Amino acid sequence: MYKCKKCHQALTKFDKDICPYCGTVRPLEGQSDETQDVTQIIEAENIKKDFIDYKPKKLLVYSFLLGFLGIFAAHLLYLKMYVKATFLFLSNAFFIGAGGYLLSLLNIEEFSSMYYLYWVIAAAVLFAIYLIVAITVFLKKNVLDKDGQVLK
């Protein structure tokens, strides 16, 4: 709450030019006629190097990483989305493990001696899905990086 410096009556923020009770000009404490310079020089040393040397990410590189290394979440690591990459990698590992296990329940006689082929088939299906998604992403061209910039 504001108070007049002469009569000490309560003022509102609209009474800063003249006190309505005693008529004091500029009744608020610390108020003067001098203008103050509120500008400041920003040194170039204070600006982060990331902003000075910013290079936009490439959509072609992103699509390539998504198509061929999407199982390992390399496309998200390229965009510096580390938490999402971790969750995607763990969910891909779960999909391959669960898919291989469900395929092993079928008891296909051709694969009985090569038990690991169930997980290879699950990984190949996931790889094919990532290839299809990479092609559609490359053609759609609306992917954003961590800073919200569209990939070039």
Side-chain angles (χ1 to χ4, degrees):
M1 172 166 281
Y2 302 107
K3 293 195 180 230
C4 176
K5 62 183 173 184
K6 187 173 182 184
C7 68
H8 304 292
Q9 291 290 329
L11 302 174
T12 65
K13 62 181 178 178
F14 302 111
D15 298 328
K16 58 184 171 183
D17 292 330
I18 190 166
C19 177
Y21 301 105
C22 65
T24 303
V25 179
R26 289 182 298 285
L28 302 178
E29 281 290 330
Q31 188 178 9
S32 66
D33 290 335
E34 298 175 13
T35 57
Q36 297 178 353
D37 185 21
V38 293
T39 60
Q40 150 186 357
I41 298 173
I42 299 174
E43 299 292 330
E45 298 165 358
N46 295 339
I47 299 174
K48 287 184 175 181
K49 295 289 183 185
D50 295 340
F51 296 116
I52 294 174
D53 298 334
Y54 178 75
K55 294 177 185 159
K57 305 288 185 191
K58 305 290 183 195
L59 182 65
L60 182 64
V61 174
Y62 176 81
S63 299
F64 180 80
L65 290 173
L66 177 62
F68 294 104
L69 296 173
I71 293 175
F72 304 109
H75 59 290
L76 293 176
L77 294 174
Y78 176 65
L79 297 181
K80 297 181 181 177
M81 297 180 179
Y82 302 117
V83 175
K84 286 183 181 181
T86 303
F87 285 120
L88 183 63
F89 177 74
L90 292 175
S91 64
N92 287 340
F94 175 77
F95 176 79
I96 292 171
Y101 176 73
L102 291 175
L103 285 174
S104 69
L105 293 178
L106 296 176
N107 282 335
I108 301 172
E109 292 182 22
E110 292 84 21
F111 297 146
S112 61
S113 63
M114 297 178 283
Y115 197 67
Y116 63 90
L117 280 181
Y118 296 122
W119 286 273
V120 172
I121 291 171
V125 167
L126 192 60
F127 181 77
I129 291 171
Y130 274 109
L131 274 177
I132 293 168
V133 170
I135 292 169
T136 56
V137 163
F138 182 72
L139 296 175
K140 201 170 181 185
K141 298 183 179 182
N142 65 349
V143 180
L144 300 177
D145 66 359
K146 185 178 180 182
D147 300 322
Q149 302 294 323
V150 178
L151 301 183
K152 302 282 181 192

